[in-house]
Amino acid sequence: MATSQLTASSMTVSVRNLASFEGLRPSSIVKFSSFGSLKPGSLTQRSFKGLVVKAATVVAPKYTSIKPLGDRVLVKIKETEEKTEGGILLPTTAQSKPQGGEVVAIGEGKTIGKTKLECSVKTGAQVIYSKYAGTELEFNGSNHLILKEDDIVGILETDDIKDLKPLNDRVFIKVAEAEEKTAGGLLLTESSKEKPSIGTVIAVGPGTLDEEGNRKPLSVAPGNTVLYSKYAGNDFKGNDGTSYIALRASDVMAVLS
C-alpha cells in the first residue's frame, strides 16, 4: 500500500509502490485535492480513477540551462514559508503554495501583426503569477515554473502585496470588508459572511495591446470603487491582514459612485 499523509483538506501520496502511476519517478510526490473524510484502508486503486496528477517535471543534471521560447518566462519559485511569524513550525499541509518568485530567464518575445514585442519583465524581477499557471520544473535542485508572460499578474519589489504593480490588463483591488450585520441588525458569524465582490482599485496595468502593438488604456483607474465577478482573479492578504484581489479588467463589471 502507498505511504500516505491524509488531512480533511489535502493528501500527499508517495508513488514508490503505486502501480497506477507508471512513468513517474519513485521520488515523485503527488498531491490531490480534497477527498473529504477517508477511513484507514479505504484507499484503493479505484479511488484514483479520473484524477488528474500534476507532478513537477524533473530536468536531468546533464542539462545546465533552460531557454524559454516565445513569450514564455522561467521563474524560480519562492520557497514556501515553513514557520509562522511567531516561529511556529507549519505542517506541510498548512503551508500555502507560493505564487511568486524571481524571473531567471525570458523568451525572445512575441509578434503581434508586424510588430515584434519584447517581454515586459526582465531577469531578476520579483513577480506574482496566477495560481494555476504554467508547468512546474525541478531544475538545479530548485523548483521553477515556466509560464506565459500573460500569466504574470504583476511585479512586487517589496515583501508586502499592497505594493504590487499590475501588468497588462490586470487590476489590483483592495477588497471591501464583509458586512458584519444583516439589514435587521443581526450579527453574522464568519462562516455566514458573504464574500464581497466590491472594492477600491489600488493600481492598474498599462493595458492590453492592439494589433499594431499599441497599449489600450484600461477603463478603470486607481481610486474607483468597482463591482467585479465573484469568482474571478487571485486573492491575497497584505502584511496587516487586508484582503486584496488581482484580476483582469474584463472581470470588472461596473464602477460604483
Side-chain angles (χ1 to χ4, degrees):
M1 180 178 290
T3 302
S4 60
Q5 177 183 341
L6 306 179
T7 70
S9 61
S10 64
M11 181 176 74
T12 302
V13 179
S14 170
V15 298
R16 184 177 299 278
N17 298 316
L18 196 59
S20 58
F21 294 103
E22 293 180 5
L24 287 179
R25 293 179 56 171
S27 61
S28 298
I29 296 296
V30 184
K31 293 185 179 181
F32 303 92
S33 57
S34 174
F35 277 85
S37 300
L38 290 176
K39 297 179 180 179
S42 65
L43 193 62
T44 65
Q45 184 168 330
R46 186 176 180 183
S47 304
F48 298 101
K49 186 176 181 181
L51 290 177
V52 177
V53 179
K54 186 176 181 180
T57 300
V58 179
V59 179
K62 66 179 180 179
Y63 300 108
T64 58
S65 68
I66 299 176
K67 173 61 178 174
L69 298 178
D71 60 343
R72 288 180 173 81
V73 175
L74 182 66
V75 175
K76 184 178 180 181
I77 299 174
K78 182 180 178 181
E79 292 185 3
T80 305
E81 294 293 336
E82 297 184 354
K83 294 182 180 181
T84 65
E85 291 183 1
I88 300 173
L89 280 172
L90 292 169
T92 302
T93 52
Q95 295 171 14
S96 58
K97 180 181 177 182
Q99 279 182 252
E102 179 184 352
V103 176
V104 294
I106 60 175
E108 65 273 15
K110 61 183 177 181
T111 300
I112 298 181
K114 296 181 179 179
T115 305
K116 181 75 174 180
L117 298 172
E118 295 182 352
C119 285
S120 58
V121 294
K122 306 300 180 184
T123 56
Q126 300 292 326
V127 297
I128 302 295
Y129 46 80
S130 297
K131 196 167 187 177
Y132 301 108
T135 299
E136 291 188 25
L137 307 172
E138 186 180 317
F139 176 63
N140 280 347
S142 300
N143 292 325
H144 292 71
L145 190 72
I146 189 165
L147 69 167
K148 284 184 172 291
E149 179 194 2
D150 190 54
D151 288 322
I152 296 177
V153 174
I155 296 173
L156 186 61
E157 297 174 345
T158 71
D159 61 354
D160 197 339
I161 194 66
K162 71 179 179 63
D163 299 317
L164 182 72
K165 296 178 180 177
L167 294 178
N168 300 318
D169 63 339
R170 295 307 205 289
V171 179
F172 188 54
I173 296 170
K174 180 181 177 181
V175 179
E177 294 185 6
E179 294 294 333
E180 300 283 342
K181 295 181 180 180
T182 65
L186 296 176
L187 283 172
L188 294 168
T189 62
E190 286 296 324
S191 59
S192 61
K193 291 178 183 177
E194 185 176 354
K195 179 183 176 183
S197 52
I198 294 175
T200 303
V201 176
I202 301 299
V204 299
T208 55
L209 293 165
D210 61 23
E211 294 181 355
E212 297 180 355
N214 298 314
R215 292 282 180 184
K216 297 172 62 179
L218 302 182
S219 56
V220 294
N224 287 159
T225 299
V226 296
L227 176 69
Y228 54 85
S229 298
K230 194 168 186 178
Y231 300 106
N234 292 267
D235 298 308
F236 301 99
K237 284 281 187 184
N239 290 350
D240 61 355
T242 301
S243 296
Y244 298 92
I245 188 169
L247 39 74
R248 294 187 183 277
S250 58
D251 291 318
V252 177
M253 299 186 290
V255 175
L256 306 179
S257 60

